[in-house]
Amino acid sequence: MHFSGVLFDKDGTLFDFHGTWGDWAYGFLMKLSGGDMLRMQLLSNAIEYDPGQKRFLPDSPAVAGTPGEIAERLLPHLPGTTPSALITHINRTSAVAPTTEAAPLLPLLGRLRSKGIKLGCVTNDAEAPARAHLKSAGICDLLDYVVGFDSGYGAKPAPGPLLGFCDRLDLRPDQVVMVGDSRHDLIAARAAGMCAVGVLTGLATEDELAPLADVVLPDIGALPAWLNDLEQVSTAAQ
């Protein structure tokens, strides 16, 4: 079987989730709290973040939610702050967060493109900081499609942003693989009629992803070999 397109989630898929966001969140919440440790703990609890370990908990809205969903949790503890101001602050500060690649991205994406595969990134982050992260990793120009929750296609787990990839690049959903670290990603893939590939560089476990996935890989570095194996099996069966 040959796939003509691959869509990646961003955080937890292209970039290791804890490596990218654990330390950033600590500094972000500390600044929001003004150094008040009680407020820091309240803010951390609100988004299910452990400041002692500098790690998000599995059910945190930061795992697969939008900046708006994160802001909604934080706002009750930030009197006088408006939703739009907080979302803008989240987007601006997250855009400069240092990223940790889940696997060496330039050779991986280059290898896929050399096979004529179209590539995209679909994230529930905002588009502007997403592009900033992709540019900092040197891979934005390798992607044919980059959309966030605010790009006009909706947010995962709805299939809209995935189907936008098909519309823009003239592909059928069954020609596309969606790769992600969360159930949101895989639910979106199923709803769009795409192949669903889970990876374990986010917070979800293999047991959580497997019921929704065609395969669960340790990280995206294993994707080219898996695609090659599928193609060889398909060729042998013809």
Side-chain angles (χ1 to χ4, degrees):
M1 185 174 187
H2 176 74
F3 289 101
S4 301
V6 176
L7 273 172
F8 295 98
D9 169 56
K10 181 171 70 71
D11 299 319
T13 303
L14 291 173
F15 303 111
D16 179 87
F17 190 87
H18 285 305
T20 298
W21 296 110
D23 286 339
W24 173 86
Y26 187 90
F28 174 75
L29 294 174
M30 183 62 73
K31 287 181 180 179
L32 276 185
S33 69
D36 181 330
M37 296 310 296
L38 176 58
R39 178 171 287 185
M40 170 70 170
Q41 191 61 57
L42 289 173
L43 293 171
S44 298
N45 292 343
I47 58 171
E48 300 187 54
Y49 173 75
D50 181 345
Q53 297 293 322
K54 295 186 179 180
R55 293 175 70 89
F56 285 94
L57 303 178
D59 292 329
S60 169
V63 176
T66 66
E69 291 170 319
I70 297 168
E72 185 178 357
R73 297 277 196 98
L74 294 172
L75 280 167
H77 307 290
L78 298 168
T81 303
T82 65
S84 61
L86 183 54
I87 291 169
T88 298
H89 183 51
I90 291 171
N91 289 340
R92 185 176 63 250
T93 56
S94 66
V96 296
T99 54
T100 301
E101 297 181 7
L105 295 179
L106 273 172
L108 170 65
L109 299 189
R111 181 177 176 184
L112 295 173
R113 283 187 68 91
S114 72
K115 292 178 173 290
I117 296 173
K118 300 297 184 182
L119 303 176
C121 177
V122 175
T123 175
N124 277 358
D125 197 354
E127 182 176 335
R131 287 187 177 276
H133 297 153
L134 298 169
K135 286 178 181 176
S136 72
I139 61 170
C140 200
D141 290 343
L142 296 178
L143 299 169
D144 303 287
Y145 178 85
V146 177
V147 299
F149 84 96
D150 56 351
S151 301
Y153 295 94
K156 299 172 293 185
L162 283 66
L163 294 173
F165 178 69
C166 295
D167 291 341
R168 188 174 299 182
L169 296 168
D170 196 25
L171 298 173
R172 299 191 315 270
D174 63 1
Q175 295 177 304
V176 179
V177 177
M178 174 66 206
V179 188
D181 68 299
S182 76
R183 290 174 57 86
H184 270 34
D185 298 315
L186 304 184
I187 291 169
R190 292 295 186 202
M194 296 178 177
C195 178
V197 173
V199 289
L200 299 176
T201 40
L203 275 67
T205 65
E206 184 170 3
D207 287 345
E208 290 169 330
L209 297 179
L212 293 166
D214 291 289
V215 67
V216 178
L217 303 175
D219 57 56
I220 55 173
L223 183 65
W226 180 76
L227 291 172
N228 188 58
D229 288 345
L230 277 185
E231 194 164 346
Q232 288 183 353
V233 169
S234 178
T235 300
Q238 291 176 358

